[in-house]
Amino acid sequence: MSYHAYISQVLGNGDGNINFASSILKPCLEQFPKGALFLLFAARIQEVNGQLDEALGLYEQSIDSQSSWRHLHHLCYWQMMWCSAFKCEWLFAMKYAEVLSRESSWSKSTYLYLKGIFMLMSEDQSAAMTEHVVAIFTKVPELKVRVAGKSLPIEKFAIRRVQRFFAQGNRLTLPALEVIYIWNGFAIIYKSAPLAEPILQLIEAKVAEVSGDGQSKTQADDLGLCLLLKAMCLVCRRDSAGAEACLRELVSMEKRLVEDKHLVPYAVAEMGFLALRDGKPREAQSHLEAALNNYKGYQLESRLHFRLHAALEELKRQKDPAKTAGQSAAGRP
């Protein structure tokens, strides 16, 4: 269940076998209807299927079912944060990030960054709110951790974004939508296309704002991010031609990008994922291999490589129906 409901969704391309996970979970819930772990998985399955309100209710039930295993509460809060973000309920997402920053020791730097960017996306853009975000972001670099002697990639990314926030006069471009993308959240939004509409409205408004900001040295970077996010919304709308046009425009901007060099390999990869989804295996393979082999040393490279390898494995399965049938019989995607 963990592979299909979590690992394949976050590190892959949302290609886990959710029906198989549900079939495993059903007898467990029948026997233990108030089991905290089983309720967590039930909530996650609803979330992956785009049923966010149902997921939030089940996460609440999981939390209420026990009080001794706080780490399980933290898993629920983490997912409730993302459900709220997918719904553009930024203050609710901020609330869960704040709880995690107080209670969980995994990565306080990441939690604080998330809290800050959700505040930046809220309707309250007062001076007091900005001062609060400044205070939060000041702590982000101080709280980074090292695991096995290495920094967490997401913390490195958060610290770079905080540095840009200060360099740009306390401004970031759609930072919460950016982390939704990084965390593969659009695979969930795809399952419930109406969720993409308010996100697309935010992006369109930001494109107009960024296009008129000729003084910013990172204008191309900001516009490139907007194009990538817009492409994802158009994918959710099943508008493949519109999505591909946005991605190609982003790739054409490669030489103009100042800091966000990672946007280009991500765009090339997304063209591959799109072609794979649309049943164009040769085109998909060309884009996927280009994204994998032609770009090195960019931000969040390993995260994209997980998705690329998953997509290339899917291509191999499509070329070998016998193997695919055997895997389906074994309950694998």
Side-chain angles (χ1 to χ4, degrees):
M1 283 192 293
S2 294
Y3 171 79
H4 294 295
Y6 278 96
I7 297 172
S8 67
Q9 304 296 327
V10 175
L11 297 179
N13 294 300
D15 52 0
N17 193 330
I18 293 300
N19 290 334
F20 178 62
S22 297
S23 69
I24 296 175
L25 180 62
K26 183 178 179 181
C28 300
L29 273 175
E30 289 174 351
Q31 187 171 0
F32 304 102
K34 294 185 178 180
L37 187 60
F38 298 137
L39 286 168
L40 170 68
F41 278 115
R44 177 59 178 169
I45 287 171
Q46 291 294 329
E47 180 185 352
V48 167
N49 284 329
Q51 304 299 315
L52 302 184
D53 291 333
E54 293 82 352
L56 285 164
L58 287 164
Y59 284 128
E60 289 279 9
Q61 290 182 43
S62 178
I63 291 170
D64 293 341
S65 68
Q66 58 88 30
S67 58
S68 57
W69 194 6
R70 293 295 296 174
H71 290 302
L72 193 61
H73 288 190
H74 298 159
L75 287 174
C76 291
Y77 290 137
W78 177 257
Q79 296 304 149
M80 293 169 81
M81 178 191 73
W82 289 116
C83 287
S84 299
F86 299 154
K87 296 172 68 179
C88 296
E89 294 180 348
W90 308 119
L91 292 182
F92 281 107
M94 182 274 291
K95 178 187 73 174
Y96 296 122
E98 183 176 33
V99 171
L100 288 165
S101 71
R102 291 198 310 265
E103 297 186 7
S104 174
S105 59
W106 171 65
S107 173
K108 292 186 180 295
S109 178
T110 300
Y111 296 141
L112 284 177
Y113 177 69
L114 291 170
K115 177 184 175 181
I117 63 174
F118 292 139
M119 293 177 69
L120 286 176
M121 296 291 294
S122 71
E123 293 182 2
D124 179 7
Q125 296 298 307
S126 64
M129 185 280 294
T130 302
E131 289 179 9
H132 192 178
V133 174
V134 167
I136 290 170
F137 279 178
T138 300
K139 299 177 183 177
V140 170
E142 301 171 0
L143 295 172
K144 67 179 180 179
V145 297
R146 299 183 73 84
V147 178
K150 295 185 178 180
S151 299
L152 297 173
I154 191 63
E155 285 192 345
K156 291 181 180 179
F157 180 82
I159 290 169
R160 290 192 186 102
R161 280 295 183 258
V162 165
Q163 291 168 345
R164 183 187 289 189
F165 172 79
F166 289 121
Q168 295 182 152
N170 302 342
R171 179 183 65 82
L172 285 174
T173 297
L174 302 175
L177 301 185
E178 183 177 40
V179 294
I180 286 174
Y181 173 76
I182 290 170
W183 227 260
N184 208 19
F186 281 97
I188 290 174
I189 294 170
Y190 182 84
K191 303 291 181 60
S192 183
L195 292 171
E197 295 308 312
I199 295 176
L200 185 57
Q201 291 175 18
L202 290 172
I203 296 166
E204 295 283 16
K206 184 59 67 173
V207 167
E209 178 186 327
V210 170
S211 297
D213 186 12
Q215 301 301 314
S216 172
K217 74 170 187 177
T218 57
Q219 182 189 40
D221 302 65
D222 293 337
L223 183 57
L225 174 61
C226 289
L227 286 168
L228 179 61
L229 295 172
K230 182 177 179 179
M232 295 303 97
C233 288
L234 294 178
V235 168
C236 294
R237 276 185 165 184
R238 279 60 174 176
D239 180 2
S240 296
E244 184 176 356
C246 289
L247 295 168
R248 289 191 180 279
E249 183 177 353
L250 170 51
V251 172
S252 73
M253 297 167 56
E254 181 174 7
K255 293 182 180 179
R256 294 165 53 198
L257 299 177
V258 178
E259 297 180 10
D260 295 339
K261 303 294 187 180
H262 68 286
L263 291 174
V264 174
Y266 269 82
V268 174
E270 290 295 347
M271 286 193 285
F273 303 146
L274 182 60
L276 180 60
R277 183 181 290 116
D278 289 346
K280 302 175 181 178
R282 290 184 180 178
E283 184 178 332
Q285 184 165 355
S286 176
H287 289 311
L288 295 171
E289 290 181 347
L292 184 64
N293 299 320
N294 296 351
Y295 305 92
K296 303 294 180 184
Y298 53 89
Q299 293 184 76
L300 302 171
E301 181 175 357
S302 60
R303 195 168 191 84
L304 181 58
H305 279 196
F306 278 116
R307 295 185 63 198
L308 288 167
H309 286 298
L312 288 167
E313 283 300 313
E314 174 61 23
L315 271 175
K316 289 180 182 178
R317 287 198 292 269
Q318 290 183 7
K319 293 177 180 178
D320 189 347
K323 182 179 179 180
T324 302
Q327 289 177 336
S328 298
R332 288 157 54 189

